[in-house]
Amino acid sequence: MWTQTILLLFIGISFGLAAAGGLFAFIVELGVVADFADRTHTGKKIKIYEDCIAAGGIIGTILSLFPITFQVGKIVLLVVGVFAGVFVGCWAMALAEILNVYPIFSRRLKFVRYVWVVIVSIAVGKGIGALLILSQKW
């Protein structure tokens, strides 16, 4: 019984480390951390960015594995939601920048002039979707 538990623990930790390593390698490859540091002119503090990303991954994993609940107000929920939205938006834009999705898409459909409408529509759609999901949980 104990050997099976120890084996499952070892396998779980191994796969968790592999998945986390892959995710953080993906973040680094997309250049999200470097873009944040470059755009905010805080390249000397890049270790803080990396530590915050690692802490966010660890805290997110703990909160998803264990049923920990917090009694917070709507303001705190709003702030956390904004930060999460900014993070997801930065990921999406970094991925789109790497893959050159929008330039190819706009050339194929021949509406180069109105690409900003597509980007704003995606952002508004994500925001409305997040609000609908959050409003159902209240």
Side-chain angles (χ1 to χ4, degrees):
M1 180 71 179
W2 284 100
T3 56
Q4 184 180 11
T5 303
I6 291 172
L7 180 64
L8 287 174
L9 179 70
F10 177 73
I11 290 171
I13 289 174
S14 298
F15 280 116
L17 287 173
L23 176 66
F24 291 125
F26 187 60
I27 290 173
V28 170
E29 180 63 30
L30 285 179
V32 175
V33 178
D35 281 347
F36 283 163
D38 184 43
R39 291 173 198 229
T40 58
H41 308 292
T42 55
K44 293 179 181 177
K45 299 179 181 180
I46 200 156
K47 292 282 189 191
I48 294 173
Y49 284 107
E50 294 169 351
D51 291 343
C52 288
I53 290 172
I58 292 167
I59 292 169
T61 301
I62 290 170
L63 291 177
S64 65
L65 287 177
F66 302 107
I68 301 171
T69 59
F70 299 102
Q71 297 297 326
V72 295
K74 292 180 181 178
I75 300 296
V76 174
L77 187 61
L78 178 69
V79 170
V80 170
V82 167
F83 282 136
V86 167
F87 181 72
V88 169
C90 289
W91 263 69
M93 292 311 290
L95 186 59
E97 186 177 304
I98 295 294
L99 297 176
N100 295 324
V101 170
Y102 295 114
I104 293 170
F105 185 68
S106 66
R107 267 185 267 136
R108 296 262 169 104
L109 295 180
K110 296 181 175 40
F111 67 94
V112 175
R113 208 168 168 189
Y114 299 103
V115 171
W116 67 273
V117 174
V118 173
I119 293 172
V120 170
S121 299
I122 291 170
V124 169
K126 289 182 76 58
I128 291 172
L131 286 175
L132 289 174
I133 289 172
L134 288 174
S135 69
Q136 289 177 356
K137 291 185 178 183
W138 287 341

